[in-house]
Amino acid sequence: MVKKITKLLFIFTASFPVLFFLNTGFSTDLLWKTFQTIVFSVLFSLSLVWPVLKKYFLILSGLLLIFMAVFFISGQSGWAEIFGSSGFGLVLLLLISYVPQLIKKGYIEHI
Amino acid sequence: MTTRKHIFAALVFALLSTVLIFSWFRYGHLYGGGDVGIPSYDPQRIVEIAKFVWWDSSAPGALVPHGVTSLPVQFFQSMLVQAGLPYFVVQATLFWILLFLTGYGMFLVGLSVFGKDKLLLAILCGLFYVLNPYMMIQVWHRFIHNSFFLAAFLPFFYLFWDDWIKRGKFISILFFLLANIFGVYLYGTIAFAVTIVFVLSFIFLRHVFIPWQGFKFFKEITFRFISGLILWFLIHLWWILPTFSITPALFSSQHRTFDSVSTLITLSRQTGIPYVLSGVNPFYLFEQADFGGIYKHPVFLAIMFLPLVFLLPGFIAAIRSKKLAGWGILLVMAVFLAKGAASPFGFTYIFALTKVFVLGVLRNPFEKMGILLPFSSAIIMTAGFKWYLDRFHDKQVKSFKILLGALLFLQLGIFLWPLWSGRLIGKFDKLALVEVPKYYREADIFIKEQKKEGKILHLPLPLGESASYNWPYALSGIESSQLLFNSLPSISRGFNIDHVDDIISAASNIFREKVADEKIIAILQSLNVRFIVLHKDIRWQGGFLDNPLKLEEILDSKRFLEKKELLGSLIVYEMSERYFKPRIYNTSYVNFLSRGERNSFWPFLLFQNNIDLISPVNPADWSIDTVQTLILPTKSWTFHPKDIAFEKAILELPAASKILPGSRLYFLIKLKEDIRILKSLGMDKLKLKLDFLGKRLVEAIRLKEKGKTPEASINVYRKLLVEVFYTDNLKDQLDFIGGRGFVNDLFAKHLIILDTLEGVKGVKDELLMALRKSELIPMYDVVSDKNTEDLEYTTYHFQVPSNDEYELLMAEEGVRNVYADKLEKFEFQIDGEKKQLRGEFTDGFISYGKVKLDAGKKEFTLVATPSANLFDYPAESGIEVSSSDKKNSFFEAKIEPLTSNTWYTIKFEAWIKSGDKFRLQFISDGNVEYEKFFTRDDQNGWNKYRESILFNKPVAADAKVRFLVDKADSAVIFRNIKIERLLNNPIFLRSLSFPQSAIESVPGVEFTQYSPVYYSGKIELERGGFVIFSEAFHKDWQLKLHSNGKTLVPKERFLANMYANAWFVPAGDYTFELEFTPQKTLYWGMLISGITACAVVIFYLGKIKKWLKK
């Protein structure tokens, strides 16, 4: 367990600056983007350390996209943007975490 | 799959295309306007124009190298026209074919993905690709023809390339190349080449890595990829070669990296994930509401997200399937690329654009890469549809089928109602239908029948690229006279190229009552104008075009013009033969003109008949006799010296932190600042540096207050100063960081602070030097007896070619009556020395006599003198304006004289007696150009106000200032109203002392034009002189002179009449060739592409022969 937590912390420490740069260019002007980056880094690290969680994160990303639609229809386009971009960002990161499987098998056997 | 099933699918898409096309074209008119004009109007004419990289039909000439990509499609359309089809049927036929290819191509992709027995799924795939919001809005509604071709040919490219990479079948690459030849028009938008290369590379990488099949396979398909890409490149070389051999310079000047990033960031606000996932461009759908307000209704918003019902399960199904995993990845990449800088990970795009200049072509990613959205989602949605079918196959089949059908009906039918109902192109309530009135053709035929050389000047002449007409089905978009008139080249619009727009601006503005005929003639001659066509059917209102009725009065009164024909709303005038100047002529009678940064008033310098203005591209090389030397200011700017209090300066600069230099923790402050600079981009970086400069000074003051030496801060200040002024070139970035006024105010504060710091000798001088070198402040301090706080100054810099006496002249003499002494006495400061000069009105200018000047940079500074009060009313008398609760009330003051690019200052006192506000408006030709609200502050009674307004409309009949009190039972009294015009008339220098050995030119040029890019003829010159070619200047126009078996190519280039080409030719008899050399690159490219095509076909035939032998 300690090994896994160490791995988790290591991946988080390594991925956060990269994702923060790609997401905001190190700008902290928009707080939600900073928070979003933290969420991305945490979930990405978790999905690499405990691959079993990927499935739930994928469901979460689907839910976020559905929330996006709901909020957009109800006129909350700002929230729709936050949910939509978070959902899509998560899909993107999960897809990256599946790359080894994609290269090996050509598809994702176990989600 | 049987042929019958293929035929069935083809019939489905043929039927779909037929229904749509009948719906769109049931009105019996062409579609046109916007960015594309009328590309289906007279395709034969377009073929004639587009086969050359230089378009002389868009006079005075334009470089359009990638226009050649339209040749195949225009040739096809011209065949249809020759077969007797009307233009709108030709357009309908083209659109039908493209729609059919779009759907059928995707059907074939569907078959290759889902299996040859899955007919219905493949058809659904095609339907999803044709019928979706992206296709409706971004392709057909946006009406960029290159996008139509991209959408239609992308599936074929995919199909053939995928097969080539996968199987290596030669027939596949052959078909791929063939599809590229037919679809070449898509590359008319160069960014689409990036889209295509991305797709080709994606297919390759997918086969390499998903899954990895070992090095042998990798080597095999890498060879196919590289060889295929080389063939693709070679087959397109015929348009790539001319485009890329000429265009990069055009790109760099027109689209700077900073502009690209700004555009990307602005457009990315419209490409958030909710919009990209739905394939919707909110600008057209919601902001402009081109299809009406109904799309804002929650029901329609809900339908907008219906694709997610298929996309989400489809995506999961896709990534879990070996066949479809690549499509899932492509969809995610498509969303990522199309959203641009929008969240998430939007900075990736910004970073890439700032680092790779070429990526600037993708600054509108939703438009350029967005086609990948419907392309990939068509497969994923079909996969989603299949997922539902598989899951619910046996259960409640009927209700499930009804539900699926209803979803598809809402998504493909209801949501896309403009597509089905033919309310698609243009606005739903005002379609972009075009019917060119018959009198245009009649006017063109009339001009053609005259059989005369020259150009047609169309009036009123727009300075931009667009125009709108009052026809029943009017063209509104890019000005298209070059297509409507094929008799002679048309001067009909601006080009967004400085030196060409100068002459267009001159031709647009010269038809004024006060302009002398000889000036008008000189400009018409320099433009090679033979006919003038007055368009009384143009929409001229708005202040940027002249009223055609007024123009008609002026044109009718001109002795050098003959009113030839009245055809509908067009009037054709012809220039008298004796005033007409051919396109190529010789002259030895020229004025040297040293060009300046402001050339918009230059036509007023052309006041002598038959004297051309010649500017050397490199003025240092000038050694030719001229009649006059005219020197325009290389730089001029207005500034307001400010006397700022030290305390205020300190307060307005960024505050220093508590940790000051010398502290052990100060390195943290520096680290934080360095990180901020490191992560900032472009102008933000420069702005930060300016902030840190101020911060260093405040730190220096704080150190001084604590009794410490400020040296540490000042040393950093010094280094940063050098970086800002000399490395980052502050002077070239003024417009992006707040303007000249902002920068001057900022450094005025620095200077005040530097004055108070002891022991920092030299820093102030360094700052002053940097400001002077950057032309932010005058080289010489302003010497004034008056209170400078209220005055503004204008400084002019001239580059004087030699020690001599120069006459100092001022333009816009018409305003002199509103100035003290009618500007007959005026004080100039020349290189720091004050001189009172007497002005005389001469030749339309005010001449201030001769001044002796040494060669080199010279500085003239003068007070931007306020005029007398333009508002004629007793100053002390108050004017009370009272409004009722139902009606506004106002009074107006007329502005006279009214000149363009002029500052007007409005000073007044006002007392808001009741109510809480009033408005000040600047109105020109009935349009409010400027408006400001003034509200009551805490103090009652009289308050003083001052507003400065820059009036820069090129054409305006009148202007007035309106003091308006809104309806609310308000009452405001105004008094001491002063409206002043600030004097910033252009000034220039003239010298008559150069040797005047020039004589009246004897015409010595005979020529024949063989094409827009090739002329030849004879030149006979008794003495050396200039050969002037009245086409827009381009460095690649080459003059070759042949005499006695020798060929001479004059290397030195000159700009004639501020926009055209000129060469100096020694005395002698020559035959000559004048050629636009980049056209050769097209021919070379065609040769290589042709050889490639032949080689591929021969190779393939060889293979067939081998196979037959076997």
Side-chain angles (χ1 to χ4, degrees):
Chain A
M1 191 65 177
V2 176
K3 206 174 172 186
K4 287 209 166 186
I5 290 174
T6 315
K7 194 178 166 189
L8 179 79
L9 287 174
F10 176 77
I11 296 172
F12 178 81
T13 317
S15 65
F16 179 73
V18 177
L19 296 180
F20 194 36
F21 177 74
L22 297 179
N23 206 24
T24 68
F26 293 131
S27 163
T28 48
D29 293 347
L30 290 171
L31 208 61
W32 73 267
K33 280 197 179 182
T34 310
F35 182 69
Q36 189 186 53
T37 316
I38 295 170
V39 172
F40 283 157
S41 306
V42 169
L43 297 185
F44 183 60
S45 312
L46 284 171
S47 67
L48 290 184
V49 179
W50 287 285
V52 69
L53 293 174
K54 285 182 193 175
K55 183 180 174 182
Y56 300 102
F57 294 158
L58 206 59
I59 294 168
L60 176 66
S61 65
L63 283 173
L64 287 170
L65 292 174
I66 291 166
F67 285 153
M68 168 195 80
V70 172
F71 276 91
F72 193 91
I73 295 162
S74 53
Q76 303 292 320
S77 55
W79 282 104
E81 167 73 28
I82 292 172
F83 282 119
S85 68
S86 302
F88 176 71
L90 205 49
V91 170
L92 199 64
L93 292 173
L94 286 173
L95 210 57
I96 291 169
S97 75
Y98 280 122
V99 165
Q101 213 179 126
L102 283 166
I103 291 176
K104 200 175 170 189
K105 300 232 173 220
Y107 65 101
I108 299 169
E109 193 176 17
H110 304 291
I111 283 184
Chain B
M1 181 93 182
T2 60
T3 312
R4 197 183 290 175
K5 282 184 178 175
H6 260 287
I7 293 171
F8 172 73
L11 282 175
V12 167
F13 290 104
L15 182 68
L16 174 70
S17 309
T18 308
V19 169
L20 292 178
I21 290 302
F22 267 98
S23 169
W24 298 0
F25 285 89
R26 65 180 183 273
Y27 312 98
H29 299 292
L30 267 178
Y31 283 100
D35 297 345
V36 292
I38 33 177
S40 296
Y41 182 88
D42 202 350
Q44 180 63 37
R45 168 75 171 152
I46 302 177
V47 170
E48 290 301 318
I49 295 171
K51 67 186 182 192
F52 299 102
V53 296
W54 183 265
W55 291 15
D56 78 333
S57 56
S58 299
L63 181 66
V64 193
H66 57 283
V68 294
T69 56
S70 70
L71 280 176
V73 67
Q74 294 300 356
F75 180 73
F76 167 73
Q77 289 199 107
S78 67
M79 301 289 276
L80 296 181
V81 171
Q82 278 176 6
L85 296 181
Y87 293 145
F88 86 93
V89 177
V90 171
Q91 191 177 46
T93 309
L94 177 69
F95 285 10
W96 187 94
I97 293 170
L98 290 171
L99 270 172
F100 175 77
L101 289 177
T102 306
Y104 190 70
M106 201 64 207
F107 159 78
L108 294 177
V109 174
L111 279 185
S112 79
V113 172
F114 293 103
K116 293 194 170 172
D117 55 332
K118 306 286 186 207
L119 176 78
L120 287 177
L121 285 182
I123 290 178
L124 193 62
C125 211
L127 290 176
F128 278 138
Y129 186 53
V130 177
L131 304 171
N132 61 73
Y134 188 89
M135 280 291 176
M136 179 177 86
I137 304 166
Q138 203 62 33
V139 176
W140 291 103
H141 174 70
R142 183 77 178 82
F143 208 58
I144 303 283
H145 282 40
N146 311 121
S147 302
F148 303 166
F149 279 75
L150 177 68
F153 283 90
L154 184 60
F156 292 98
F157 291 177
Y158 177 90
L159 207 62
F160 300 133
W161 183 258
D162 186 64
D163 202 53
W164 162 245
I165 293 288
K166 207 160 49 185
R167 294 183 232 279
K169 280 191 178 176
F170 201 76
I171 186 82
S172 301
I173 193 72
L174 196 68
F175 278 126
F176 172 74
L177 297 176
L178 202 64
N180 267 276
I181 291 169
F182 285 126
V184 69
Y185 190 29
L186 76 90
Y187 298 102
T189 297
I190 293 165
F192 289 156
V194 180
T195 315
I196 296 297
V197 171
F198 170 80
V199 172
L200 304 185
S201 307
F202 175 82
I203 294 169
F204 162 67
L205 291 172
R206 197 193 77 197
H207 285 299
V208 170
F209 292 109
I210 304 174
W212 173 256
Q213 295 175 57
F215 275 104
K216 196 184 166 198
F217 182 71
F218 170 69
K219 273 189 216 163
E220 248 174 55
I221 66 168
T222 304
F223 169 75
R224 287 176 208 155
F225 174 69
I226 293 172
S227 57
L229 217 54
I230 290 172
L231 287 175
W232 173 84
F233 180 76
L234 290 176
I235 214 81
H236 286 302
L237 205 65
W238 63 281
W239 64 265
I240 290 177
L241 216 53
T243 302
F244 288 93
S245 64
I246 319 168
T247 318
L250 196 71
F251 278 157
S252 57
S253 62
Q254 285 185 350
H255 306 298
R256 294 152 49 127
T257 302
F258 176 69
D259 295 340
S260 296
V261 173
S262 302
T263 311
L264 171 73
I265 291 171
T266 309
L267 292 174
S268 295
R269 287 185 194 123
Q270 298 167 358
T271 53
I273 291 295
Y275 302 116
V276 173
L277 278 182
S278 333
V280 155
N281 185 332
F283 177 73
Y284 298 110
L285 200 65
F286 302 126
E287 280 178 43
Q288 284 201 164
D290 283 355
F291 307 118
I294 196 164
Y295 280 94
K296 291 176 191 166
H297 193 278
V299 172
F300 266 73
L301 293 179
I303 302 174
M304 189 175 115
F305 288 106
L306 275 185
L308 285 180
V309 172
F310 297 109
L311 274 179
L312 292 179
F315 177 72
I316 302 291
I319 55 174
R320 298 187 68 179
S321 143
K322 208 167 188 176
K323 266 186 185 176
L324 294 170
W327 287 95
I329 296 168
L330 183 63
L331 174 66
V332 172
M333 292 186 89
V335 173
F336 185 77
L337 290 171
K339 75 173 182 54
S343 191
F345 309 121
F347 192 75
T348 318
Y349 229 104
I350 299 174
F351 186 71
L353 238 74
T354 50
K355 299 295 169 200
V356 187
F357 172 72
V358 183
L359 289 180
V361 295
L362 297 180
R363 62 194 172 281
N364 185 354
F366 190 66
E367 188 170 289
K368 307 299 187 243
M369 303 294 283
I371 191 67
L372 299 177
L373 291 169
F375 183 61
S376 53
S377 61
I379 297 288
I380 299 299
M381 281 169 67
T382 311
F385 189 82
K386 184 174 175 291
W387 185 82
Y388 284 114
L389 283 182
D390 293 346
R391 183 147 293 212
F392 299 103
H393 191 64
D394 299 328
K395 304 166 198 169
Q396 299 168 345
V397 175
K398 200 176 175 188
S399 57
F400 171 68
K401 276 185 179 170
I402 292 171
L403 183 68
L404 274 189
L407 284 179
L408 290 180
F409 176 70
L410 288 172
Q411 198 180 314
L412 311 184
I414 299 294
F415 194 78
L416 306 179
W417 70 266
L419 189 88
W420 292 105
S421 62
R423 316 300 294 174
L424 178 69
I425 303 166
K427 282 200 148 202
F428 81 108
D429 54 352
K430 195 174 186 309
L431 297 176
L433 296 168
V434 177
E435 182 70 55
V436 180
K438 280 182 184 162
Y439 52 79
Y440 271 80
R441 173 112 329 159
E442 290 163 9
D444 187 35
I445 291 170
F446 171 79
I447 292 172
K448 196 178 267 176
E449 283 171 354
Q450 308 306 304
K451 291 182 181 163
K452 288 179 177 170
E453 191 253 334
K455 290 173 184 160
I456 308 169
L457 174 65
H458 296 268
L459 294 177
L461 179 58
L463 301 181
E465 294 179 338
S466 303
S468 298
Y469 292 89
N470 292 318
W471 308 336
Y473 295 100
L475 177 66
S476 180
I478 198 127
E479 214 289 333
S480 300
S481 289
Q482 57 158 337
L483 292 183
L484 305 178
F485 290 81
N486 63 27
S487 45
L488 290 174
S490 288
I491 302 165
S492 59
R493 64 179 174 95
F495 287 85
N496 209 10
I497 298 169
D498 287 348
H499 65 276
V500 182
D501 287 352
D502 281 343
I503 187 81
I504 295 292
S505 146
S508 178
N509 288 301
I510 45 166
F511 292 98
R512 300 274 192 279
E513 282 157 8
K514 288 175 188 168
V515 180
D517 282 1
E518 59 186 344
K519 290 179 189 175
I520 300 176
I521 291 168
I523 286 171
L524 295 181
Q525 286 180 335
S526 71
L527 275 167
N528 180 226
V529 171
R530 171 76 76 170
F531 295 96
I532 291 177
V533 174
L534 180 66
H535 296 246
K536 291 167 85 176
D537 53 3
I538 200 165
R539 284 189 201 147
W540 58 273
Q541 295 85 348
F544 292 93
L545 291 176
D546 281 311
N547 179 348
L549 294 177
K550 270 194 179 172
L551 277 173
E552 185 182 2
E553 276 174 32
I554 292 170
L555 293 173
D556 285 350
S557 68
K558 299 299 172 197
R559 63 189 160 82
F560 53 87
L561 291 176
E562 195 183 336
K563 196 172 191 170
K564 296 290 277 191
E565 198 74 21
L566 181 65
L567 296 150
S569 297
L570 301 179
I571 305 176
V572 181
Y573 295 85
E574 187 180 342
M575 187 98 165
S576 302
E577 193 61 44
R578 62 178 284 232
Y579 293 110
F580 174 74
K581 236 178 197 177
R583 196 175 302 187
I584 306 173
Y585 59 94
N586 65 299
T587 178
S588 39
Y589 203 43
V590 298
N591 283 342
F592 170 95
L593 178 79
S594 171
R595 300 176 72 224
E597 55 159 7
R598 290 173 62 190
N599 301 312
S600 56
F601 78 100
W602 75 271
F604 297 101
L605 300 173
L606 278 171
F607 58 94
Q608 284 169 296
N609 256 343
N610 292 319
I611 300 183
D612 290 281
L613 292 168
I614 297 287
S615 311
V617 173
N618 181 3
D621 295 344
W622 187 264
S623 58
I624 296 162
D625 293 356
T626 54
V627 181
Q628 290 188 21
T629 298
L630 299 162
I631 305 164
L632 307 193
T634 50
K635 193 97 187 165
S636 70
W637 71 94
T638 300
F639 67 98
H640 186 185
K642 281 192 177 166
D643 196 11
I644 304 166
F646 171 77
E647 289 76 16
K648 199 178 171 210
I650 284 283
L651 274 177
E652 289 180 0
L653 289 176
S657 95
K658 284 181 183 169
I659 304 166
L660 293 172
S663 161
R664 284 181 183 172
L665 295 176
Y666 188 71
F667 79 95
L668 288 172
I669 301 287
K670 281 296 296 158
L671 185 69
K672 190 181 163 195
E673 288 181 0
D674 289 346
I675 290 173
R676 285 185 69 191
I677 287 185
L678 192 72
K679 74 180 191 184
S680 60
L681 298 164
M683 293 307 117
D684 287 341
K685 192 173 269 187
L686 188 56
K687 280 181 195 167
L688 268 182
K689 286 181 184 174
L690 288 174
D691 275 355
F692 295 154
L693 268 175
K695 212 170 166 185
R696 296 293 88 84
L697 285 185
V698 179
E699 280 175 357
I701 293 292
R702 298 287 170 250
L703 285 170
K704 191 188 153 197
E705 283 168 358
K706 290 190 173 183
K708 295 177 183 171
T709 169
E711 214 175 327
S713 279
I714 292 301
N715 283 342
V716 181
Y717 178 86
R718 215 176 224 147
K719 275 185 194 164
L720 204 51
L721 201 66
V722 173
E723 220 174 283
V724 165
F725 278 93
Y726 305 112
T727 312
D728 297 338
N729 275 325
L730 177 69
K731 68 172 181 175
D732 297 333
Q733 321 293 349
L734 294 177
D735 290 342
F736 306 114
I737 54 165
R740 182 178 283 276
F742 165 78
V743 175
N744 273 343
D745 286 355
L746 182 75
F747 285 109
K749 290 168 202 161
H750 286 213
L751 290 168
I752 296 292
I753 292 170
L754 284 170
D755 268 341
T756 65
L757 287 170
E758 292 158 14
V760 292
K761 277 182 190 170
V763 182
K764 187 181 172 187
D765 292 339
E766 282 173 34
L767 174 58
L768 283 170
M769 178 66 78
L771 289 168
R772 283 176 181 140
K773 278 191 175 168
S774 305
E775 295 181 315
L776 282 161
I777 60 168
M779 290 190 294
Y780 302 91
D781 290 338
V782 176
V783 187
S784 178
D785 317 327
K786 299 169 193 167
N787 178 11
T788 54
E789 179 62 18
D790 289 339
L791 294 176
E792 292 187 24
Y793 293 83
T794 306
T795 292
Y796 302 84
H797 280 173
F798 292 93
Q799 194 61 42
V800 174
S802 60
N803 300 353
D804 214 324
E805 274 197 329
Y806 293 87
E807 188 183 6
L808 174 61
L809 295 119
M810 182 183 277
E812 290 178 2
E813 56 77 30
V815 301
R816 66 187 192 281
N817 289 335
V818 295
Y819 289 94
D821 301 324
K822 294 188 177 180
L823 297 174
E824 282 165 8
K825 271 194 285 178
F826 205 77
E827 194 177 84
F828 292 86
Q829 184 176 302
I830 304 171
D831 282 354
E833 192 186 330
K834 277 205 294 184
K835 280 188 180 167
Q836 179 88 27
L837 301 176
R838 291 196 67 82
E840 269 178 36
F841 175 55
T842 165
D843 297 335
F845 301 101
I846 304 170
S847 166
Y848 287 98
K850 289 181 179 174
V851 284
K852 204 159 191 181
L853 297 172
D854 298 334
K857 195 174 185 178
K858 295 285 140 195
E859 181 176 275
F860 286 62
T861 298
L862 54 96
V863 176
T865 314
S867 69
N869 192 355
L870 304 180
F871 181 55
D872 188 16
Y873 195 82
E876 288 299 325
S877 311
I879 300 172
E880 180 161 346
V881 184
S882 309
S883 64
S884 68
D885 60 344
K886 286 185 181 160
K887 207 177 170 191
N888 291 337
S889 193
F890 60 83
F891 81 92
E892 293 175 342
K894 197 176 178 194
I895 305 267
E896 182 69 45
L898 183 67
T899 48
S900 187
N901 273 325
T902 304
W903 283 95
Y904 289 92
T905 310
I906 298 141
K907 299 172 190 164
F908 58 96
E909 290 175 36
W911 176 15
I912 304 177
K913 279 175 70 184
S914 61
D916 60 358
K917 64 175 185 291
F918 66 90
R919 271 190 272 174
L920 179 78
Q921 295 178 325
F922 193 99
I923 297 169
S924 167
D925 291 339
N927 301 314
V928 176
E929 303 294 333
Y930 175 88
E931 181 174 59
K932 187 165 179 183
F933 282 86
F934 296 89
T935 49
R936 181 206 284 272
D937 58 15
D938 293 338
Q939 287 180 322
N940 276 326
W942 291 103
N943 280 303
K944 283 186 176 179
Y945 301 92
R946 179 192 162 123
E947 281 302 301
S948 290
I949 297 165
L950 176 66
F951 180 70
N952 54 12
K953 274 170 75 173
V955 183
D958 67 64
K960 51 202 170 191
V961 175
R962 178 182 285 174
F963 296 83
L964 188 145
V965 178
D966 287 300
K967 51 184 177 186
D969 280 328
S970 301
V972 185
I973 309 177
F974 299 93
R975 72 177 186 194
N976 286 333
I977 298 168
K978 263 190 176 179
I979 301 175
E980 293 165 343
R981 177 190 186 277
L982 292 186
L983 186 80
N984 68 339
N985 295 13
I987 63 169
F988 61 97
L989 301 171
R990 175 165 72 177
S991 162
L992 294 166
S993 61
F994 273 58
Q996 294 188 43
S997 50
I999 53 161
E1000 185 82 32
S1001 308
V1002 179
V1005 178
E1006 284 175 24
F1007 72 94
T1008 308
Q1009 180 182 3
Y1010 292 93
S1011 75
V1013 294
Y1014 186 78
Y1015 302 72
S1016 75
K1018 282 182 192 171
I1019 299 175
E1020 289 174 11
L1021 298 180
E1022 284 179 16
R1023 62 194 303 268
F1026 285 93
V1027 168
I1028 292 177
F1029 174 45
S1030 295
E1031 280 277 297
F1033 179 87
H1034 194 284
K1035 64 179 178 50
D1036 290 327
W1037 278 107
Q1038 189 186 63
L1039 178 71
K1040 269 187 193 169
L1041 302 163
H1042 307 288
S1043 179
N1044 301 325
K1046 286 180 184 170
T1047 300
L1048 173 70
V1049 180
K1051 291 276 182 262
E1052 201 179 342
R1053 297 299 310 274
F1054 300 91
L1055 199 67
N1057 301 317
M1058 302 288 285
Y1059 85 97
N1061 302 273
W1063 295 264
F1064 186 78
V1065 176
D1069 293 350
Y1070 307 92
T1071 57
F1072 78 90
E1073 291 173 273
L1074 179 56
E1075 189 178 8
F1076 190 65
T1077 50
Q1079 182 70 21
K1080 281 182 184 162
T1081 59
L1082 174 70
Y1083 300 142
W1084 277 111
M1086 284 172 103
L1087 184 70
I1088 297 169
S1089 296
I1091 291 170
T1092 308
C1094 291
V1096 171
V1097 171
I1098 290 167
F1099 185 76
Y1100 184 64
L1101 290 176
K1103 278 193 136 191
I1104 290 177
K1105 203 175 161 188
K1106 230 176 182 178
W1107 179 76
L1108 284 174
K1109 268 187 183 173
K1110 271 185 184 174

